[in-house]
Amino acid sequence: MKKVIVKGPALSQSGYGEHARFVLRSLRSRPDLFDIYFININWGQTGWLYEDTEERRWIDFLLGKTINYTQQGGQFDISLQVTIPNEWEQLAPVNIGVTAGIETTKISPQWVEKCLPMDKIIVVSEHAKYGFANTTYPAKNNQTGEEFIAAVTCPIEVAGYPVKNIEPQEIKLNLKHDFNFLTVGTWIARKNLEHTVKWFVEEFFDQEIGLIVKTSLAKHSLRDREFTHLRLKELLKEYEDRKCEVYLLHGDMNEGEMTALYQHPQVKAMINLSHGEGFGLPLFEAAYNGLPIIAPNWGGQVDFLHMPIKDKKGKVKNKSMFTEVSYDIKPIQDSAHWEGVIQKDSMWAFPKEWNFKKGMKSVVKNHGAAKSQAIKLQTWILQNFEESKQYQLLCDSVYKPSVKEEEWNDTLNQIQVT
């Protein structure tokens, strides 16, 4: 049994929080292999989990267990660090970086450097893997002056999120119209909410159709709600005579409430105009709840929005099972640059206005066909992203990092002895 220290924001209400909890749940599914310890970290300005659940009590137990163990001088065999690479460090003889990766076309030089001490990297999508595997920078050895190409050299593997069987909880939505789109995401430049709302209103200005915007600026506080409401109000002030409705949905929603939102009879489709996703968790949740999806065919969502289909000749090909929005790949906006994280000279997708509007109009007009396609995708996702399969995928990646199991165990035993 290996002593594994997991470091991540498992107590935060964030995508990385869910990622850290997925890692913990995966390791917990194999008590024969892993003795788990945990260090919690903050994630930006996001809020913390507040529900008193069995899992929350278990995580609190791990925190206390870890403090006691480290105070007694305890050491770990493996570290799994669920965060952006800037925060990776050597905590054990074997160190594995776990990250949602990057939403753009390349990672930063700082990330390349931080990958060097890692024995393996686990990302959530093929898109994220591409960013790590295909980024290179010219570099120079400060001691010898030798020039070389810096790149990520350790193994990179993919382990996406699992589906969840969540019972819907009652939610009250005062929706005026029977047909409503839904979009979910923090109000940041990458999520492209301004264009999402603006283009929706322009397309359905004189129609009885709604858009639910589940968002916040950072936290789910009252002050955050006020600022978010003002931003949305400012965006809509030039469309005051519209028939279409835009609803702000702000605040904490648990998994049962979110499931009820995805399954609400008046919520007909999910739209996403994000410039890029490492995975796209809300899109994934909407897809495995059977909602038709309108989104660019670029980013982490590609992994689960396509499924194998046999053609008339019996050949199996991956087919997109959603309404695709065409896009251009262009340099990121200056406002999106995040030093050391989102590289200034990297690129991402810019969805095309005309095609997005066309896609929304098509789903409204042919909703039956879009729903039928969504149900087929839902069935495939439920089978192929089933919880135990994804847990096993993560555990295999941790327990057998790119070497034969005997060598892996021998290496650990030698380190432990010395």
Side-chain angles (χ1 to χ4, degrees):
M1 181 180 294
K2 310 304 177 188
K3 293 188 180 296
V4 181
I5 180 70
V6 178
K7 176 183 175 183
L11 296 180
S12 74
Q13 293 180 319
S14 64
Y16 265 100
E18 181 58 32
H19 202 164
R21 291 187 290 274
F22 162 60
V23 169
L24 288 170
R25 292 167 190 149
S26 299
L27 299 179
R28 193 183 190 187
S29 72
R30 294 301 305 270
D32 56 320
L33 293 180
F34 305 115
D35 182 17
I36 310 168
Y37 297 81
F38 176 59
I39 299 172
N40 188 65
I41 60 176
N42 293 326
W43 187 253
Q45 300 182 42
T46 55
W48 284 45
L49 296 180
Y50 61 91
E51 291 185 292
D52 180 22
T53 63
E54 185 278 334
E55 182 174 76
R56 172 60 194 263
R57 292 191 292 272
W58 175 67
I59 293 174
D60 288 341
F61 163 75
L62 291 181
L63 289 168
K65 171 186 172 182
T66 303
I67 292 172
N68 291 335
Y69 182 68
T70 54
Q71 286 179 343
Q72 296 171 10
Q75 301 293 312
F76 305 104
D77 301 318
I78 313 167
S79 81
L80 272 81
Q81 301 172 52
V82 191
T83 183
I84 55 176
N86 306 63
E87 301 177 4
W88 290 347
E89 55 185 328
Q90 291 182 296
L91 298 176
V94 175
N95 297 282
I96 302 175
V98 185
T99 184
I102 194 67
E103 300 88 1
T104 65
T105 53
K106 64 190 298 187
I107 64 175
S108 68
Q110 292 91 330
W111 281 24
V112 173
E113 184 178 353
K114 282 290 188 176
C115 290
L116 294 177
M118 295 293 110
D119 296 277
K120 174 178 279 190
I121 298 168
I122 302 175
V123 295
V124 292
S125 68
E126 292 295 333
H127 173 80
K129 180 178 179 179
Y130 178 90
F132 278 85
N134 291 278
T135 299
T136 60
Y137 290 100
K140 179 182 290 188
N141 187 313
N142 290 331
Q143 294 181 335
T144 65
E146 180 185 0
E147 295 182 349
F148 64 97
I149 299 298
V152 177
T153 56
C154 66
I156 307 166
E157 296 186 3
V158 178
Y161 294 110
V163 299
K164 294 182 180 180
N165 183 19
I166 305 294
E167 285 294 320
Q169 296 182 14
E170 183 180 358
I171 57 172
K172 294 182 180 180
L173 298 176
N174 184 23
L175 303 175
K176 294 182 180 180
H177 308 314
D178 290 333
F179 196 108
N180 296 274
F181 291 99
L182 170 68
T183 189
V184 179
T186 308
W187 201 312
I188 56 177
R190 179 171 61 84
K191 294 296 184 178
N192 201 17
L193 286 181
E194 286 88 351
H195 283 135
T196 304
V197 174
K198 185 174 183 290
W199 294 346
F200 162 80
V201 173
E202 290 175 354
E203 179 60 35
F204 299 110
F205 183 85
D206 58 353
Q207 298 183 48
E208 294 183 346
I209 293 177
L211 170 63
I212 302 167
V213 183
K214 174 69 178 79
T215 189
S216 62
L217 298 179
K219 296 185 177 181
H220 293 156
S221 64
L222 288 174
R223 186 177 183 184
D224 188 284
R225 186 188 188 282
E226 291 174 0
F227 280 121
T228 306
H229 179 261
L230 287 173
R231 180 173 288 189
L232 188 59
K233 186 177 180 180
E234 181 69 20
L235 186 63
L236 293 171
K237 70 179 183 180
E238 60 180 293
Y239 307 105
E240 292 180 353
D241 297 329
R242 67 187 186 276
K243 284 186 180 179
C244 64
E245 294 288 338
V246 178
Y247 306 93
L248 172 62
L249 193 55
H250 185 282
D252 292 323
M253 292 181 69
N254 61 35
E255 291 180 325
E257 291 169 329
M258 286 300 298
T259 299
L261 179 62
Y262 295 130
Q263 296 180 4
H264 196 282
Q266 290 172 278
V267 176
K268 303 296 187 180
M270 178 81 157
I271 58 179
N272 180 290
L273 279 190
S274 174
H275 294 295
E277 298 285 354
F279 184 76
L281 188 55
L283 280 172
F284 181 62
E285 293 170 344
Y288 74 70
N289 276 285
L291 266 184
I293 305 293
I294 303 172
N297 190 23
W298 192 84
Q301 66 263 31
V302 171
D303 285 14
F304 56 81
L305 291 182
H306 293 73
M307 61 177 280
I309 299 286
K310 282 187 179 180
D311 61 19
K312 294 180 179 179
K313 296 181 179 179
K315 292 183 178 180
V316 178
K317 295 183 178 180
N318 268 347
K319 180 183 177 182
S320 62
M321 301 297 287
F322 66 108
T323 300
E324 296 183 27
V325 178
S326 58
Y327 58 89
D328 294 314
I329 298 297
K330 297 189 293 187
I332 66 167
Q333 306 93 318
D334 289 341
S335 61
H337 173 228
W338 180 2
E339 184 61 35
V341 179
I342 299 180
Q343 188 66 8
K344 194 170 186 178
D345 61 347
S346 62
M347 298 187 290
W348 56 20
F350 286 80
K352 295 182 178 180
E353 176 183 353
W354 70 269
N355 198 243
F356 173 59
K357 291 178 176 179
K358 178 183 177 182
M360 287 192 296
K361 187 164 58 176
S362 174
V363 170
V364 171
K365 184 178 180 180
N366 306 294
H367 186 259
K371 184 67 175 180
S372 176
Q373 185 183 60
I375 295 301
K376 291 178 183 177
L377 179 64
Q378 177 189 31
T379 301
W380 180 80
I381 291 176
L382 291 175
Q383 292 174 349
N384 289 273
F385 288 82
E386 191 268 331
E387 194 174 69
S388 63
K389 290 182 180 180
Q390 298 308 109
Y391 288 175
Q392 187 62 47
L393 186 64
L394 192 285
C395 289
D396 286 347
S397 193
V398 172
Y399 196 75
K400 302 175 182 178
S402 71
V403 292
K404 294 180 180 179
E405 187 172 350
E406 314 87 69
E407 297 173 358
W408 164 242
N409 288 327
D410 288 346
T411 301
L412 282 179
N413 290 335
Q414 291 171 9
I415 293 172
Q416 290 165 2
V417 168
T418 58

